[in-house]
Amino acid sequence: MTDPSTRQSADRRMVVAAAQLGPVQLEESRESAVTRLVTMLRTAAARGAEFVVFPELAFTTFFPRWWNEDQDEVDARFFESSMPSPDTQPLFDTARDLGVGFYVGYAELVPADQSPDGRTRRFNTAILVAPNGEIIGKYRKIHLPGHADHKPEAAFQHLEKRYFEVGDLGFPVYRFMDALVGMLICNDRRWPEAYRVLGLQGAEMVTLGYNTPTENLHYPEPPAQRVAQHLLMAQAMAYQNAVWVVQSAKAGFENGFRMFGNSVIVAPTGEVVAKTTSEDDEVIVHDCDLSLGDDLRRTMFNLEAHRRPEHYGLIVERTGVRITPANEI
Ligand code: CDT
């Protein structure tokens, strides 16, 4: 365990990129998607990036929008049972050649014969890959949105609860190059608890890929409002945890279903320092001062000095709302 006061304070910087992917159509091959990621990795490296954040489920279309009862087909088309796999190896090779690390999301299948309980398992996963091409960290998405049942009346499905299990690795933080880095995936960004658990482990940068539909599945909502909420969350979570936030979208029309872009890099001050403007493949880069959050962590958000966990019990004891007015108990 490292004491927070022993962070190295010398000029610690990391040039970071968010590499947003435009749409990946259902028909597009994994090989083609990986070629696009490799192109963006090269673009980011040419602009000085040392670390590139790619989206959630980056090698395929966002398949949870379709109901499919043929699990073998789903597994074959969308899941990876090894990483790197033959299709994804070029991304790892290019990263190693360029000396650039990356975060990428994919659908992970753990075959029954490799699973401790002998069950095939499926997760929505992100990995952290070092500049030498080695996988040094893994996160399996914990806040799975949507539903598990078929909703034929809906314009589209959001079947993450059908296709994936809840992640079983917690919220780990990794020492990555010169920084302490945590990973989240898409819907996790709506849950302050996820960020706080990373903050309590000293995270200085939180990386996250997402696929967010422009339309609300559940009720009509103006798309601009959805983007405003996305930016609001990124800025609030960055500031309240004094972390850099790097969020990368898969965006645009996939087989007619639109997802918003607005990939962002947010400073620990809560300010947006870079943002995409398209719904296509697009790279944004920022030279991050890793010590920028230190003043906040020392003062306003000195967690050791100011948190009161003795009053936060409900957060872990209770999942949903139970109305308990203090004057009615
Ligand atoms: N991929 C993902 O987690 N998307 C969710 C939308 C869920 S809508 C039922 C998000 O929070 O962006």
Side-chain angles (χ1 to χ4, degrees):
M1 197 169 65
T2 310
D3 186 301
S5 62
T6 64
R7 288 170 200 275
Q8 303 147 291
S9 59
D11 191 31
R12 289 187 309 124
R13 309 192 77 87
M14 193 191 284
V15 182
V16 175
Q20 172 178 291
L21 251 182
V24 176
Q25 306 302 336
L26 192 53
E27 307 73 30
E28 184 168 348
S29 68
R30 236 174 281 204
E31 193 186 3
S32 160
V34 170
T35 301
R36 289 166 59 188
L37 297 178
V38 166
T39 300
M40 288 202 285
L41 194 65
R42 292 191 188 286
T43 302
R47 290 170 58 189
E50 303 161 89
F51 179 31
V52 178
V53 177
F54 292 114
E56 171 192 34
L57 302 175
F59 303 129
T60 68
T61 198
F62 187 72
F63 65 90
R65 74 166 64 86
W66 282 289
W67 176 262
N68 187 337
E69 292 181 10
D70 185 344
Q71 190 61 51
D72 290 343
E73 187 196 349
V74 172
D75 289 350
R77 288 187 74 172
F78 305 119
F79 279 81
E80 307 285 341
S81 50
S82 63
M83 190 55 64
S85 54
D87 285 335
T88 58
Q89 187 68 50
L91 186 62
F92 288 74
D93 293 344
T94 309
R96 194 191 52 236
D97 293 349
L98 296 169
V100 173
F102 66 91
Y103 159 117
V104 72
Y106 66 99
E108 178 191 12
L109 186 147
V110 185
D113 61 1
Q114 289 169 35
S115 161
D117 62 2
R119 240 173 2 107
T120 302
R121 307 190 69 189
R122 297 173 186 82
F123 298 99
N124 186 341
T125 295
I127 47 172
L128 198 54
V129 180
N132 66 2
E134 303 233 324
I135 297 173
I136 61 158
K138 181 180 276 191
Y139 167 68
R140 290 170 169 160
K141 186 174 182 177
I142 286 179
H143 297 101
L144 297 174
H147 48 101
D149 57 320
H150 191 196
K151 296 193 181 302
E153 72 291 351
F156 57 93
Q157 311 292 302
H158 199 108
L159 291 160
E160 288 195 56
K161 287 191 194 293
R162 170 178 170 83
Y163 292 126
F164 303 115
E165 286 182 50
V166 172
D168 60 351
L169 301 176
F171 296 102
V173 166
Y174 295 95
R175 195 172 288 286
F176 178 74
M177 300 195 222
D178 220 6
L180 291 163
V181 175
M183 292 181 277
L184 297 176
I185 302 178
C186 197
N187 189 263
D188 288 322
R189 74 196 193 282
R190 302 183 193 273
W191 302 94
E193 298 89 336
Y195 271 91
R196 184 59 99 211
V197 171
L198 294 175
L200 284 167
Q201 297 168 82
E204 294 167 314
M205 182 177 287
V206 176
T207 51
L208 180 148
Y210 60 100
N211 286 261
T212 299
T214 302
E215 300 296 331
N216 186 329
L217 173 66
H218 306 288
Y219 57 90
E221 185 180 32
Q225 226 170 66
R226 292 171 63 72
V227 172
Q229 291 153 1
H230 154 75
L231 296 174
L232 183 72
M233 291 185 291
Q235 294 183 252
M237 302 292 175
Y239 170 66
Q240 290 176 341
N241 295 285
V243 291
W244 286 92
V245 167
V246 187
Q247 302 193 342
S248 190
K250 176 131 69 58
F253 285 96
E254 286 189 341
N255 299 83
F257 299 99
R258 192 174 192 178
M259 295 177 297
F260 66 68
N262 289 273
S263 301
V264 277
I265 303 177
V266 184
T269 54
E271 290 158 300
V272 173
V273 296
K275 188 167 87 59
T276 56
T277 53
S278 75
E279 290 184 337
D280 297 319
D281 294 6
E282 183 179 344
V283 176
I284 52 173
V285 177
H286 188 78
D287 179 1
C288 302
D289 173 357
L290 295 170
S291 303
L292 190 59
D294 286 356
D295 283 340
L296 263 180
R297 275 188 285 263
R298 237 181 354 92
T299 57
M300 181 68 80
F301 295 124
N302 180 335
L303 303 187
E304 183 66 37
H306 304 307
R307 288 184 80 245
R308 292 289 168 252
E310 67 273 26
H311 293 291
Y312 305 156
L314 279 187
I315 286 180
V316 289
E317 286 157 19
R318 190 178 288 184
T319 306
V321 176
R322 228 180 316 137
I323 297 175
T324 48
N327 61 344
E328 286 180 17
I329 294 171

